[in-house]
Amino acid sequence: MRQKQLLNSPMMYAFGMFAMMIPSQAFSTFYSYYYVEKLGLGIGLATLARTIFLIWDAVNQPMFGYWSDRTNTKYGRRRPWIYVAVPLFMLAFILIFSPPGNMSEIGLFTWFLVALIFYEAVATIIWVNYGALFPELFKGDRLRTKASAVQQGFQILAILLATSLTPILFTAVGFGSMAIIYALVFAVFMLIFLRYTKEDEEASKAPQMKLKEAFKETLKNKPFWLVNISNSFAQTVNGLLSATIPFYAKYVLQIPEEQNTILFAAVFVSVIPLVGVWYLLLRKLDPVKGWRWSFVVYALSVIPLWFGSNLVSGIIAGVIVGFGLAGFLVSPPMVNSRIIDLDVEKTGSRREGVYTAVSGFIVRSSGLISALAFLIVGIIFGYESGDNPGPDPESTFRYLISVVPFILLAISIVISLFVKLERRPEHES
């Protein structure tokens, strides 16, 4: 009986998010710090590597979504892809943080680029298939709000663990051993998620469009584009905050490296209960309206980071930004699921994979926006790397953690005002 209750439950689905977010957060938060600050890779080469990856990602992400939609096995459409990707992801993550020693800068750049392309390609397979399951497993606004809140609660717990424990781990055992530990944790929780997930057999029987038709219908969906472009600017802020905090701690707050854990905990511990607050708020709002308000709150919440000057003020600012972050984490899955539902009603074809993949590509382009912001602000203030921080690294990271995020979120708010979606009848919500 217990097993039946757990099958396709929001908690078991959230285990997949927990599994992916531990290594993903460690990567997104510390890869720049590791390669630029610790290993001395120039910020220009680091940005170039991300740009090359984005070109590759533009091709592989939509194709993985299309192939996932057309997969038909007795184990489902999505789960077989994830099973195959699990060991490959473990290997790729370990390679990212295990470059050979004494490499030239070009050698280090080459290693980073190849490992990055491999890592991101395998991560794409998992994220596309995991995300495509959400609208299939959870029907109606109320259940989706609950599932999204639980999922984001687990995501924040993973972010908290990854960001707070990573400095302790790489200080104690090194980056390579840290990567091995996280890869094993990922495998355990991903396999638990797969064990308690069963796909809807009827969904795989729905008629599928050919490649050209599938992407044509997706790409001409105006609300889909507006929602995900708006999300991409906000997602840039998520990545920028995480990646900038170690620099912010060093150059702005001027606290020891080991206190990074306290600063990260201030942000992400506060988010866990605040996800529950947003769940209660979003239950009472139309999904689009709730999603739009989450941008407004997030934009206001990054302002206090500008005024940080020591550990205490940094902690207070971190707790405030946690409230804005919590809202943005909960609301997007509900809006994207509504878009997919409306598309199914219009076309009769279930294309969660294509929608999730194209959405993922648009949102993941935030990595390039973040890298460009890092590069431009670094050039303005003369920051190149840890070996050459320039004359005013404090201003570099004060702008990157507050002013730039506020501008990006203001863009998200403006775009979101143009999104109009049909409201669902009350009995379907």
Side-chain angles (χ1 to χ4, degrees), residues 3 16-17 81 155-156 229 238 295:
Q3 183 172 339
M17 175 64 78
W81 285 93
Q155 178 180 4
I156 295 304
I229 291 173
N238 291 3
F295 290 139

Side-chain angles (χ1 to χ4, degrees), residues 311-418:
L311 179 60
V312 173
S313 59
I315 290 172
I316 294 171
V319 172
I320 293 171
V321 83
F323 184 61
L325 174 60
F328 174 66
L329 291 175
V330 175
S331 57
M334 298 155 53
V335 181
N336 275 316
S337 294
R338 170 74 64 81
I339 290 171
I340 292 172
D341 288 345
L342 293 172
D343 178 79
V344 172
E345 292 176 10
K346 177 184 175 183
T347 66
S349 174
R350 300 199 65 93
R351 292 175 294 118
E352 293 93 340
V354 170
Y355 270 107
T356 302
V358 178
S359 170
F361 168 69
I362 297 170
V363 173
R364 280 163 64 142
S365 66
S366 64
L368 178 58
I369 302 172
S370 177
L372 289 174
F374 204 107
L375 176 62
I376 292 168
V377 175
I379 290 173
I380 291 172
F381 291 100
Y383 179 90
E384 291 185 8
S385 68
D387 296 332
N388 183 18
D392 192 8
E394 179 182 343
S395 293
T396 302
F397 297 104
R398 202 179 285 278
Y399 272 86
L400 276 172
I401 206 165
S402 183
V403 175
V404 174
F406 182 84
I407 293 170
L408 293 170
L409 287 162
I411 295 172
S412 289
I413 293 168
V414 172
I415 296 172
S416 74
L417 295 175
F418 294 93

Side-chain angles (χ1 to χ4, degrees), residues 25 152-165 245 260-278 314-326 329:
Q25 183 67 21
Q152 300 312 323
F154 274 77
Q155 178 180 4
I156 295 304
L157 179 60
I159 290 173
L160 172 63
L161 290 173
T163 50
S164 60
L165 291 180
I245 282 177
N260 282 0
T261 297
I262 302 173
L263 194 59
F264 278 116
V267 177
F268 298 114
V269 166
S270 66
V271 170
I272 295 174
L274 292 173
V275 162
V277 174
W278 275 99
I315 290 172
I316 294 171
V319 172
I320 293 171
V321 83
F323 184 61
L325 174 60
L329 291 175

Side-chain angles (χ1 to χ4, degrees), residues 76 97 159 169 192 197 204 237 269 294 358 367 390 411:
F97 289 103
I159 290 173
L169 281 175
I192 292 173
T197 300
S204 63
V237 174
V269 166
S294 74
V358 178
I411 295 172

